[in-house]
Amino acid sequence: MIYLVGLLLVVLLGIAIAVAAKLQKVMGSTQSESEAPVPNNKANGALWLVFLVGGSVAMVWSYLASQDAFLPEASSPHGRETDSQFWLDMGLLTIAFFIVNFLLFFFSWKYQYKKGYKATFYPENHKLELIWTAIPAVIMASLVFLGFRSWTKIMSDAPADSQVVEIMGKQFGWIVRYGGVQDNKLGGYNYKLIDDNNNNPSGIDYSDEASFDDFINVSEMHVEVGKPVSLKIRARDVLHSVYIPHMRVKMDAVPGMPTKFWFIPDKSTEQMRAETGNPNFDYEIACTEVCGRGHFAMRLRLIVEDKASVDAWKQQQKPVLSTILEADPKFITKIPEKLRAKAMNYAPYVEEADSTTASTGSAAAASASMR
Ligand SMILES: [Cu+2]
């Protein structure tokens, strides 16, 4: 060990001596050649200017050329607010970018080597330092303050009159759940109840009677224009992320950790079709977290329309409970006894059901009497 350290010491000492010798040589050469002509001095100086002009043109061009890739115009108030802040930030950054780069390239050209010129040693200027520290600090602090104010507003709790919609990401698609048309209230859920084979892909918990009229849709989400939408976000398997570009909505869907996001869609699909001149325009909900092979196909249509149309659509949707009971009438036994009678209202084919238990029979009777 001691030999190894000794060897290392010798090697490092050797390197130190070599560096010192090299330094000596470089210092000697700069002193002796300071008055020697510098090759290509003028051309190098001119190149700085060429880069300044060429770079500025390229920057403006790249900005204009990529406009198609910018986000579309926002269709929600908070979207327009974040956009205006984005462009404020972008504007200030662009000004700073041009000032800094102009000085960098222009000075490099202006203060190129000239015979007889002497550099001035300029160690400190407190006034200048104060200016270039204070101005950016004030601007940055204002931007942070503005951003924080918007952030707290956007991430606040959804208004009480929101339309509540649950959206659950899974490999590979979205399951949208509504609180139904009877109570318009989302029922409970439990991940242990998730069962694709038995028509309960989002794990609706039927020990909660608010679940009975809940319906799901895997291709469309319908919301009312101008009214807050409160998204309850869940994930069934891996990380997904709810992304509605026009609404400026983006929130991760995390397994085991419900997230949320609320927004106001204030332009209907119809209005957007007229504005864009595209009769096939549709708002899109996409997944923006690479979640596996079928990630690219996680697309859902968002339809923003008036209340009457949303209500009419809701009326056409079939409660999940009806689908479950139709496929498996015995499912009724899994519902708490005191709720069975109410649950049977959702089972149109109850007469065909196996009514071996007294309670199922009475529930069937109750259901029949209600129809
Ligand atoms: Cu995905």
Side-chain angles (χ1 to χ4, degrees):
M1 185 66 190
I2 190 101
Y3 291 110
L4 203 67
V5 173
L7 191 69
L8 206 67
L9 206 69
V10 171
V11 170
L12 287 177
L13 202 67
I15 292 174
I17 290 170
V19 169
K22 176 102 179 169
L23 209 63
Q24 197 76 34
K25 204 176 150 197
V26 169
M27 282 171 73
S29 67
T30 47
Q31 272 160 12
S32 63
E33 286 171 18
S34 62
E35 287 304 313
V38 182
N40 305 326
N41 181 51
K42 278 230 156 72
N44 280 334
L47 273 178
W48 285 101
L49 284 190
V50 172
F51 269 92
L52 172 63
V53 177
S56 304
V57 171
M59 192 249 174
V60 172
W61 173 82
S62 77
Y63 172 84
L64 294 174
S66 49
Q67 266 181 330
D68 284 350
F70 288 2
L71 277 175
E73 203 189 310
S75 296
S76 64
H78 87 266
R80 280 185 280 276
E81 186 173 332
T82 48
D83 280 9
S84 69
Q85 267 181 46
F86 172 80
W87 288 113
L88 176 68
D89 289 10
M90 198 66 178
L92 289 169
L93 285 174
T94 307
I95 293 171
F97 175 86
F98 276 112
I99 292 175
V100 169
N101 282 284
F102 173 79
L103 292 179
L104 177 69
F105 287 91
F106 179 73
F107 282 180
S108 299
W109 167 77
K110 184 164 165 55
Y111 298 111
Q112 62 183 275
Y113 170 79
K114 279 194 186 108
K115 207 173 174 187
Y117 268 33
K118 256 205 164 129
T120 316
F121 183 54
Y122 198 66
E124 58 184 341
N125 184 333
H126 287 168
K127 202 170 154 190
L128 201 61
E129 281 173 31
L130 195 71
I131 291 172
W132 77 42
T133 307
I135 292 179
V138 169
I139 294 177
M140 287 303 193
S142 315
L143 291 180
V144 168
F145 174 74
L146 281 174
F148 182 71
R149 210 179 51 168
S150 303
W151 173 260
T152 43
K153 213 158 60 182
I154 293 166
M155 300 315 290
S156 63
D157 286 334
D161 65 335
S162 303
Q163 13 183 4
V164 182
V165 186
E166 180 188 88
I167 179 163
M168 182 188 223
K170 69 168 183 100
Q171 286 175 318
F172 294 97
W174 299 104
I175 302 169
V176 173
R177 178 161 71 111
Y178 282 79
V181 287
Q182 260 85 40
D183 60 4
N184 196 17
K185 202 173 137 204
L186 275 176
Y189 62 83
N190 187 332
Y191 73 95
K192 289 179 186 164
L193 301 171
I194 290 174
D195 194 341
D196 266 341
N197 299 322
N198 290 309
N199 304 305
N200 194 1
S202 62
I204 302 175
D205 181 2
Y206 287 106
S207 63
D208 177 4
E209 58 181 309
S211 303
F212 290 179
D213 62 342
D214 289 10
F215 63 84
I216 59 173
N217 195 299
V218 295
S219 57
E220 286 175 359
M221 181 191 284
H222 288 242
V223 293
E224 197 183 319
V225 66
K227 198 176 166 191
V229 178
S230 167
L231 291 182
K232 305 250 175 236
I233 304 166
R234 293 167 64 200
R236 206 173 80 162
D237 33 42
V238 297
L239 271 184
H240 300 276
S241 189
V242 178
Y243 181 41
I244 318 176
H246 284 88
M247 303 299 167
R248 305 295 190 266
V249 169
K250 192 169 184 287
M251 179 53 77
D252 278 2
V254 189
M257 195 183 93
T259 50
K260 58 183 183 173
F261 202 108
W262 76 271
F263 64 101
I264 304 174
D266 61 3
K267 270 189 194 175
S268 70
T269 301
E270 226 24 77
Q271 205 178 334
M272 284 300 284
R273 284 180 181 170
E275 268 181 34
T276 57
N278 174 8
N280 299 317
F281 172 87
D282 261 323
Y283 288 119
E284 183 184 9
I285 301 177
C287 177
T288 178
E289 179 74 53
V290 178
C291 56
R293 269 187 193 180
H295 165 68
F296 69 95
M298 285 184 67
R299 182 173 187 268
L300 193 79
R301 259 163 29 109
L302 171 68
I303 291 150
V304 182
E305 55 196 359
D306 59 15
K307 187 176 185 328
S309 310
V310 177
D311 288 346
W313 174 77
K314 281 185 181 177
Q315 290 291 345
Q316 289 166 7
Q317 306 299 304
K318 189 173 177 183
V320 178
L321 185 57
S322 296
T323 314
I324 293 176
L325 285 175
E326 245 175 72
D328 174 22
K330 284 204 187 92
F331 182 81
I332 196 73
T333 57
K334 291 183 182 159
I335 291 172
E337 214 166 333
K338 61 179 193 305
L339 298 176
R340 278 182 204 162
K342 193 182 171 198
M344 286 315 284
N345 293 331
Y346 296 90
Y349 304 122
V350 72
E351 283 85 354
E352 296 162 24
D354 176 355
S355 51
T356 46
T357 62
S359 56
T360 319
S362 66
S367 164
S369 69
M370 292 196 69
R371 267 185 287 126

